[in-house]
Amino acid sequence: MTKLDEIKDKLKNYDKEPLRFMEVCGTHTAAISENGIPSMLSPKIHLISGPGCPVCVTVTAVIDKLTELCLTENTTVLTFGDLIRVKGSKMSLADARAEGGSVQMLYSPMDAVKMAIANKTKQYVFAAIGFETTTPVYAMVMEEIIKNDVKNLRLLTSLKTMPQVIRWVCKNTGNIDGFIAPGHVAVITGSDEYRNLSKETGLPFAVSGFEGAQLLFAIYALVGMKGQSGIRNLYRGAVTNEGNLQAKAMVNKYFEVCDASWRGMGMIEGSGMRLKEEFRKYDAGSTDLDSDVMPAGCSCARVLTGEISPDECPLFGKGCTPENAHGACMVSTEGSCYNYYISGRRKR
Ligand code: SF4
């Protein structure tokens, strides 16, 4: 029997007290569904998806600002994938585009700079949304903007960081037994950040990669550490204690910590990043975008905090499907509702 087979056997036949582990990263949520991980676990081990899908936690005020900007004469909003379909308080970027708004999808962030340089008479706004993994990319965009003296490209930022929201979850939900920490975020931040969180919260953390076997090892590590603090870095090839110092320095050059508003959780102190004062002329109006209007009947707020499972939302699979998404968690391929729906996963 290989080590992996042994772990699979132990996880499937676990029969002690029920455990609830949260994966806080949207990419983990997708990987857990794709690999059918829940079906490999004992019914006494529950995986809960947390607030780590960037599109899902973006408040409607940000979408509203982007739709307003794309409908402004001579202004194009540049964005990545899923955000385009998420509804603001009135409409999504896709709706605004149907009404004549200018929205363009980006495949590489540097394309934003190239576009702005090639079309100097047009104004561009780049929707800079994401976590610690993508903030260094936006810092590189800033570097290029300044190096090339680009005057017609600004960022609308809604950048979030993991530690404060994990603290929020621990304080406000209180029924989590451990966290699967996001491997790619930890590549940037380092595992020390999770070591500190573990000491503070008294809960175990396992830093994991995104393959099925890596996730099983992480869950097994959490089972072994139940009831105590501690960290297991199971993504050692990529994650060091201190993280990527070069990427951190680049982020700190352009961005500073700020309070941030999260869908379903409200304002969380120190949980975001914004452009520093000296670079604010490159900001397209990101400050005070705090309000959040949930689509009627949508339970995303409760799903994002692990309070309910996606299939416990009354609209799940009825008024809300990936083809006709009612809330952000069903739009994004990293959203809990989307992943529950496409994998057929249900609360056990
Ligand atoms: Fe919102 Fe749809 Fe998820 Fe319900 S199923 S919480 S409506 S996204």
Side-chain angles (χ1 to χ4, degrees):
M1 203 184 227
T2 64
K3 180 76 182 161
L4 180 58
D5 287 337
E6 202 182 303
I7 282 172
K8 279 183 181 172
D9 187 55
K10 285 185 174 163
L11 289 176
K12 188 73 188 170
N13 295 306
Y14 173 84
D15 196 27
K16 294 184 182 153
E17 70 274 30
L19 294 169
R20 284 166 53 92
F21 299 133
M22 178 178 271
E23 90 274 359
V24 278
C25 164
T27 316
H28 273 158
T29 300
I32 284 167
S33 289
E34 277 161 22
N35 288 284
I37 302 283
S39 65
M40 298 183 199
L41 305 176
S42 148
K44 293 201 165 179
I45 302 175
H46 299 272
L47 295 184
I48 308 149
S49 304
C53 153
V55 165
C56 306
V57 295
T58 299
V59 293
T60 49
V62 173
I63 313 284
D64 291 346
K65 184 71 186 175
L66 289 167
T67 55
E68 177 198 316
L69 286 162
C70 82
L71 289 163
T72 304
E73 200 184 339
N74 201 36
T75 302
T76 295
V77 166
L78 305 171
T79 179
F80 293 125
D82 297 336
L83 189 70
I84 203 160
R85 290 175 53 220
V86 177
K87 284 196 194 323
S89 64
K90 295 186 188 74
M91 63 170 86
S92 64
L93 278 167
D95 297 332
R97 187 162 64 179
E99 288 189 10
S102 181
V103 183
Q104 234 169 299
M105 301 268 281
L106 280 185
Y107 296 97
S108 157
M110 289 308 157
D111 288 348
V113 181
K114 285 183 201 152
M115 240 180 255
I117 291 173
N119 302 284
K120 288 201 168 65
T121 56
K122 285 197 79 167
Q123 295 297 316
Y124 291 92
V125 174
F126 187 4
I129 282 162
F131 281 89
E132 288 96 327
T133 334
T134 36
T135 309
V137 174
Y138 299 127
M140 280 163 60
V141 168
M142 281 302 301
E143 191 90 344
E144 287 300 303
I145 288 175
I146 289 166
K147 192 171 95 190
N148 293 289
D149 195 24
V150 177
K151 293 192 166 60
N152 56 333
L153 172 61
R154 291 172 298 153
L155 308 187
L156 191 87
T157 61
S158 179
L159 297 168
K160 308 280 200 301
T161 53
M162 281 284 173
Q164 293 298 73
V165 78
I166 291 176
R167 285 187 183 97
W168 190 98
V169 166
C170 290
K171 196 169 153 206
N172 291 280
T173 65
N175 56 357
I176 311 287
D177 296 298
F179 289 92
I180 303 174
H184 53 9
V185 167
V187 169
I188 305 294
T189 61
S191 57
D192 279 350
E193 192 149 288
Y194 296 97
R195 189 165 286 107
N196 295 338
L197 270 173
S198 176
K199 280 184 195 149
E200 257 180 60
T201 59
L203 293 171
F205 283 71
V207 180
S208 174
F210 300 89
E211 289 170 16
Q214 292 172 319
L215 285 159
L216 288 170
F217 273 96
I219 295 161
Y220 183 65
L222 290 175
V223 172
M225 292 190 286
K226 66 179 182 288
Q228 53 190 306
S229 64
I231 178 164
R232 287 288 305 280
N233 178 3
L234 297 158
Y235 204 33
R236 278 193 178 280
V239 176
T240 60
N241 288 348
E242 69 279 5
N244 185 329
L245 298 179
Q246 210 180 345
K248 283 186 187 177
M250 182 71 110
V251 167
N252 291 334
K253 182 172 173 186
Y254 293 105
F255 296 97
E256 64 185 11
V257 174
C258 64
D259 300 342
S261 186
W262 296 63
R263 170 157 291 205
M265 286 157 274
M267 187 65 77
I268 302 180
E269 197 181 334
S271 66
M273 301 289 280
R274 66 179 176 195
L275 282 167
K276 284 180 167 174
E277 184 67 44
E278 61 263 46
F279 302 112
R280 232 33 92 67
K281 67 177 178 181
Y282 299 103
D283 185 283
S286 315
T287 44
D288 301 326
L289 297 181
D290 305 331
S291 67
D292 195 27
V293 182
M294 299 286 286
C298 175
S299 313
C300 271
R302 298 175 70 203
V303 168
L304 283 165
T305 53
E307 190 187 327
I308 61 166
S309 164
D311 55 316
E312 291 178 286
C313 169
L315 296 179
F316 181 85
K318 298 174 190 116
C320 184
T321 61
E323 296 74 35
N324 187 21
H326 190 59
C329 301
M330 189 63 92
V331 171
S332 173
T333 52
E334 295 193 348
S336 326
C337 299
Y338 175 90
N339 280 289
Y340 261 67
Y341 187 87
I342 56 151
S343 67
R345 184 176 161 190
R346 298 291 179 267
K347 188 181 182 190
R348 292 181 294 159

